[in-house]
Amino acid sequence: MANYFKHKRVWITGASSGIGEALSIAFAEQGAHLILSARNEVEINRVSAACLSAGASSVLVQRLDLEQHETIPSIVETVLKKVGKIDILINNGGISQRALAKETALEVDKKLMAVNYFGTITLTKALLPNMLTHQLGHIVTITSLTGKFGSPYRSSYAASKHALHGFFDSLRAELNDDHIKVTLICPGFIRTN
């Protein structure tokens, strides 16, 4: 298993900071071919340089805004033209929220669902035909413990993460015979910006 990720094509969203940055460096140290996506081009380029220094086989930076659903299929097409296929997709990109439900504007609820849920499933659905063609792949989605258990001040965030659980649990069952794995990861509190 020491070389399991060497030369694997790993696409990580939300790679410019926090969990995404840490995952990017960890996969780089294993010699993976990385596709790093985020909105912040300055930070994603910083992470890219760190990954190359850490031993990544290659790094492709692809700007991606998960709220811009209509752009995602063409971005996937562009990436696949450059790398051929994706072995592992890590759906890590997202935004957070901290406020009482009664004080959270509906626009905030909609934005959280647009980014955390719809952006994530739009990317997954755009990439899925390629994985099915190759009969391989691993879709990993970083959710949260709040995707299982709601908590005060996190109602909209928890709702977006609960939605991911419903979608990806169903997708896992649908892909059971297609050699495509689906994993949900539910971290607790993380010290990150």
Side-chain angles (χ1 to χ4, degrees), residues 63-76:
R63 189 179 183 288
L64 174 68
D65 185 339
L66 289 170
E67 192 174 13
Q68 303 299 316
H69 308 143
E70 67 285 350
T71 67
I72 292 174
S74 64
I75 288 171
V76 168

Side-chain angles (χ1 to χ4, degrees), residues 13-26:
T13 67
S16 62
S17 64
I19 293 172
E21 179 178 355
L23 286 171
S24 298
I25 301 295

Side-chain angles (χ1 to χ4, degrees), residues 15-147:
S16 62
S17 64
I19 293 172
E21 179 178 355
L23 286 171
S24 298
I25 301 295
F27 279 108
E29 290 170 347
Q30 296 293 316
H33 293 283
L34 296 173
I35 300 91
L36 304 180
S37 291
R39 289 173 298 167
N40 187 324
E41 291 184 66
V42 171
E43 288 302 303
I44 200 71
N45 285 320
R46 177 188 59 78
V47 173
S48 172
C51 288
L52 288 169
S53 295
S57 292
S58 66
V59 179
L60 170 63
V61 171
Q62 176 59 61
R63 189 179 183 288
L64 174 68
D65 185 339
L66 289 170
E67 192 174 13
Q68 303 299 316
H69 308 143
E70 67 285 350
T71 67
I72 292 174
S74 64
I75 288 171
V76 168
E77 188 176 318
T78 298
V79 168
L80 290 175
K81 281 180 183 172
K82 292 177 181 176
V83 302
K85 64 180 178 176
I86 300 296
D87 299 295
I88 303 168
L89 170 64
I90 301 182
N91 288 311
N92 174 69
I95 57 174
S96 190
Q97 166 254 358
R98 185 181 280 309
L100 292 170
K102 67 182 180 180
E103 296 171 356
T104 302
L106 185 59
E107 290 72 31
V108 173
D109 297 300
K110 288 179 179 179
K111 184 170 180 96
L112 280 152
M113 291 302 288
V115 174
N116 294 357
Y117 177 70
F118 286 110
T120 297
I121 70 164
T122 301
L123 177 59
T124 300
K125 285 183 169 194
L127 187 57
L128 191 55
N130 183 269
M131 287 184 167
L132 288 167
T133 295
H134 290 96
Q135 285 287 290
L136 67 82
H138 195 154
I139 300 166
V140 179
T141 301
I142 310 295
T143 71
S144 167
L145 284 177
T146 63

Side-chain angles (χ1 to χ4, degrees), residues 163-184:
L164 290 172
H165 280 256
F167 180 86
F168 285 102
D169 282 343
S170 297
L171 184 63
R172 181 186 307 110
E174 291 176 11
L175 297 175
N176 187 55
D177 297 327
D178 292 304
H179 309 288
I180 298 170
K181 298 175 187 165
V182 177
T183 301
L184 289 161

